[in-house]
Structure formats: C-alpha cells, structure tokens
C-alpha cells in the first residue's frame, strides 16, 4: 500500500529514468525480502518480474552490487546477499557520521518548500507507525532519506550515504518482527523527520544520533544468547 493523502507522491513519481526506476523497484524487493537473501536471479527474470528492459536492470544490479545487496557472478547469475550483522554494524558506524552531517546541512540549507515536504512526510510516517503499516513506513523513510540528502546540497555525502541506507533498512525489516522496540525505532524516525522540517540544526543532529543509537542496540540484540 502507499500513502496518497496530502498530495503525496511516492519516490517513483519524481520523473525518474528507467535506470532509476529499475533500481528503486529492485531495491524495494530486496529490502522487503520479496527477493530473499541467498536467492539466485537473472537479468531476464528480473526484467519479466518488474516489466523493465534488461539494460536498465543491468545498470541497477551494478549499483546494488556496490551497495552490498547483490553479488554478481559472471556467467552464473546474480545472488541476493545474505543478511550480515558484522556488515550492519560497520554500516551504522559509518552512517553515524554521514547521517549527522546530512542532518545538520539539510536543517540549515533546506528551502521553505523542502521543509514543508519534510513535514508532510513526517505526518505520513507518524500515521504509518500508528497503523503498524511497516511497508508504508519504509516508503516514507526512503523518501525522507532522499529529501534530506537533496536538501543538504552535498552530493558527495549524499552518494556515500545512499549506499548504506538500503542495507540498514533490509536488516531492520528482517529482524523487526521480534524486536520489542520496533515502534520506538519508527517513532525515532518520525522525530528525525520533524527535526529536519524544523530547520533547527542541533535538534536534527541530536535526533540523528538518537536514531543511530537505537539501531545499534537493535542490531546487537539480534545475536543469539
């Protein structure tokens, strides 16, 4: 399901190229485990699945490989990578610094229109949390990440952190059903969106750090006792 009120547009409605649409759709399928960890796929099968030609699929798979979501095996196909706690902790360690930078810059540099859009996403996200609609929440989270990265006006940081968010979202989606703090984690995302929309740099940085602290605790909790 998608959130369509308040004139909302899903990330895929932004006039994306076919390459970008292919990437976005495949990332969603991987993050939400519709393409299961360890599964073997091909350009042809993915093209048939999402209705986009093999050339955009190939480009999307190259990007997903750089983001550690698939492994491309020459002449053997493509394997969706396994979910890995060690990789997740390294991702969070890196995200802490990059997310903090983007939060500070986005709060400082966002236009009035961008802040208004962030506020709308925050309200949509809050409704998804209240409804327990995890897929809608993840859609909002992806859009919020893209909005913050754009508003920060730092393409180097944006490109670097984009490769990390999908790994984190998939890890969270895989384990969240048994995490007693799932609603709190989602609410921390809402708080971050609200802080970014407020334009207060200190609040945005504090909200970013609080979220990473929570995600780190969540990730470590997945280790079997």
């Amino acid at each position: 399901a998608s959130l369509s009120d308040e004139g909302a547009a899903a990330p895929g409605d932004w006039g994306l190229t076919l390459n970008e649409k292919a990437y976005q759709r495949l990332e969603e399928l991987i993050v939400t485990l519709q393409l299961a960890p360890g599964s073997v796929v091909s350009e042809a099968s993915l093209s048939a699945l999402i209705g986009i030609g093999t050339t955009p699929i190939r480009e999307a798979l190259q990007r997903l490989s750089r983001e550690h979501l698939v492994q491309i095996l020459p002449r053997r196909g493509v394997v969706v990578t396994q979910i890995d706690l060690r990789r997740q902790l390294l991702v969070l360690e890196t995200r802490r610094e990059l997310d903090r930078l983007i939060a500070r810059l986005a709060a400082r540099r966002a236009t009035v229109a961008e802040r208004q859009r962030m506020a709308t996403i925050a309200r949509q996200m809050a409704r998804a949390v209240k409804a327990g609609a995890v897929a809608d929440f993840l859609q909002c989270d992806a859009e919020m990440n893209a909005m913050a990265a754009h508003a920060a006006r730092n393409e180097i940081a944006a490109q670097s952190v984009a490769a990390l968010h999908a790994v984190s979202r998939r890890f969270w989606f895989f384990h969240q059903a048994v995490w007693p703090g799932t609603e709190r984690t989602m609410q921390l995302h809402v708080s971050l969106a609200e802080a970014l929309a407020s334009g207060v740099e200190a609040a945005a940085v504090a909200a970013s750090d609080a979220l990473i602290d929570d995600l780190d605790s969540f990730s470590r909790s997945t280790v079997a006792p």
Side-chain angles (χ1 to χ4, degrees):
S2 63
L3 299 173
S4 59
D5 56 333
E6 301 190 60
D13 294 334
W14 294 351
L16 302 179
T17 66
L18 273 179
N19 286 1
E20 291 165 334
K21 289 179 180 178
Y23 166 79
Q24 185 182 88
R25 182 63 180 134
L26 292 179
E27 187 226 46
E28 178 187 9
L29 290 172
I30 293 171
V31 166
T32 59
L33 309 178
Q34 295 175 68
L35 291 177
S39 61
V40 180
V41 296
S42 66
E43 292 176 6
S45 67
L46 294 174
S47 176
L49 179 63
I50 67 175
I52 294 178
T54 55
T55 298
I57 294 291
R58 186 176 305 119
E59 294 296 325
L61 289 172
Q62 291 291 336
R63 180 174 171 185
L64 291 164
S65 175
R66 293 192 295 271
E67 296 177 2
H68 310 289
L69 290 176
V70 302
Q71 182 180 9
I72 299 173
L73 304 175
R75 296 179 297 279
R76 292 171 56 194
V78 178
V79 179
V80 179
T81 58
Q82 297 289 349
I83 292 172
D84 183 330
L85 173 61
R86 178 180 175 276
R87 178 183 291 135
Q88 170 71 353
L89 294 176
L90 292 175
V91 162
L92 291 176
E93 185 175 76
T94 309
R95 268 190 61 184
R96 181 180 296 277
E97 305 305 324
L98 288 174
D99 281 10
R100 181 186 289 143
L101 173 63
I102 286 175
R104 178 183 296 111
L105 295 179
R108 180 189 308 167
R109 297 173 175 171
T111 65
V112 171
E114 287 167 346
R115 288 199 182 106
Q116 290 172 342
R117 182 65 194 138
M118 290 175 183
T120 297
I121 297 170
R123 290 192 294 271
Q124 293 172 332
M125 194 179 288
R127 284 195 291 274
V129 173
K130 185 175 181 180
V134 175
D136 285 348
F137 166 79
L138 287 172
Q139 177 183 308
C140 289
D141 182 43
E143 186 174 0
M144 192 67 217
N145 289 338
M147 281 293 304
H150 176 75
R153 306 302 195 273
N154 183 323
E155 64 271 19
I156 303 302
Q159 291 168 6
S160 298
V161 82
L164 306 176
H165 280 145
V167 173
S168 287
R169 283 201 305 277
R170 183 174 69 145
F171 187 95
W172 181 83
F173 188 85
F174 183 79
H175 291 287
Q176 56 86 25
V178 296
W179 169 243
T182 291
E183 186 173 343
R184 182 183 69 246
T185 302
M186 292 194 291
Q187 186 56 54
L188 286 169
H189 282 83
V190 175
S191 297
L192 175 57
E194 291 172 342
L196 289 168
S198 77
V200 179
E201 292 181 41
V205 170
S208 178
D209 285 347
L211 175 59
I212 295 297
D213 286 344
D214 182 79
L215 291 174
D216 184 81
S217 295
F218 163 74
S219 300
R220 294 178 189 279
S221 78
T222 64
V223 179

